[in-house]
Amino acid sequence: MTRSPLRLAFLSVLVVALAACGFQLRDALVLPPDLDPVMVKSRDRYSPLADSLAQSLVRAGAEPAAPDDPAPAVLDILAERWGDTPISVDSRGRAQEFSLRYAVVFELRNGDGTVLVPQQSVELSRDYISVPSDAFGTEGERDILVRELRREMAAAVLRRLGAAGRDGRMIGPDPFDGAPTDAAQAAMEAAAALPPPEAADAS
């Protein structure tokens, strides 16, 4: 079916208008070169983050590893931790505003064991208000933030993988200013306590 000249002209004008107002399509994810069939592993077998990353990698063109693949590339979610930090109190001294923090430690290894993205942490946060007399509504707001942070975390991890793909080289962790928060510290400690990849794969 051919497109009419009028429709093509309309689409062209629409693209130009969007570009003029600052709208830009997101860059497609560029996978690291020579990436083997990939699987996403998580210490939490029901991790929504792992499921989201696996689906995103397939959409980006990655070949999913078969369950019996002897040497797949592995995006390893080493640890996930959540934390709620009080940031303000009411006149009675009760915490009424919190910072919800989500920290993840991950790394990407190719099938031959080559580290494409070394172990590193990503932390995101959002603030929310907790009204002591409205616990039901507060829990709903927190649940919404949890889902949003999971989506943003998946995007953040994919950006790190995309940086490795565009540059064709190993990407190290971002510099971090200041001490890690409780959530980030807990995630890093959990990852540090894990056995090395070879021992974990053999078990």
Side-chain angles (χ1 to χ4, degrees):
M1 180 178 179
T2 59
R3 297 176 184 270
S4 68
L6 181 60
R7 185 177 181 184
L8 289 174
F10 172 76
L11 291 175
S12 299
V13 171
L14 179 61
V15 170
V16 172
L18 289 173
C21 68
F23 177 86
Q24 292 181 347
L25 296 176
R26 292 187 178 184
D27 294 335
L29 175 64
V30 179
L31 297 172
D34 302 321
L35 182 68
D36 293 317
V38 64
M39 67 183 303
V40 180
K41 292 176 60 177
S42 173
R43 270 50 188 180
D44 177 5
R45 61 183 300 182
Y46 302 110
S47 169
L49 176 64
D51 291 341
S52 176
L53 287 170
Q55 295 169 13
S56 296
L57 286 170
V58 171
R59 287 196 296 269
E63 180 182 351
D68 57 350
D69 193 324
V74 177
L75 175 56
D76 205 345
I77 308 302
L78 301 168
E80 296 181 57
R81 292 293 184 273
W82 295 88
D84 291 271
T85 303
I87 56 178
S88 71
V89 297
D90 60 17
S91 58
R92 299 182 180 180
R94 298 176 300 182
Q96 63 177 6
E97 188 174 5
F98 293 83
S99 179
L100 176 63
R101 297 183 179 272
Y102 181 31
V104 167
V105 179
F106 75 96
E107 70 177 9
L108 175 65
R109 305 184 301 274
N110 215 4
D112 61 359
T114 301
V115 177
L116 299 176
V117 179
Q119 178 176 319
Q120 55 194 273
S121 64
V122 179
E123 183 179 10
L124 303 173
S125 67
R126 290 289 183 274
D127 296 342
Y128 69 96
I129 296 176
S130 171
V131 180
S133 60
D134 187 17
F136 179 79
T138 299
E139 186 64 24
E141 180 182 356
R142 187 183 186 280
D143 288 344
I144 292 172
L145 290 180
V146 165
R147 291 194 294 271
E148 289 180 353
L149 286 176
R150 282 201 180 108
R151 286 194 296 267
E152 292 178 16
M153 181 61 73
V157 172
L158 291 171
R159 282 195 295 271
R160 302 284 180 95
L161 305 188
R166 286 190 299 274
D167 296 344
R169 61 184 177 84
M170 184 174 72
I171 300 298
D174 289 344
F176 183 82
D177 294 327
T181 64
D182 290 343
Q185 186 65 38
M188 289 186 287
E189 289 174 355
L194 294 172
E198 295 80 4
D201 294 339
S203 60

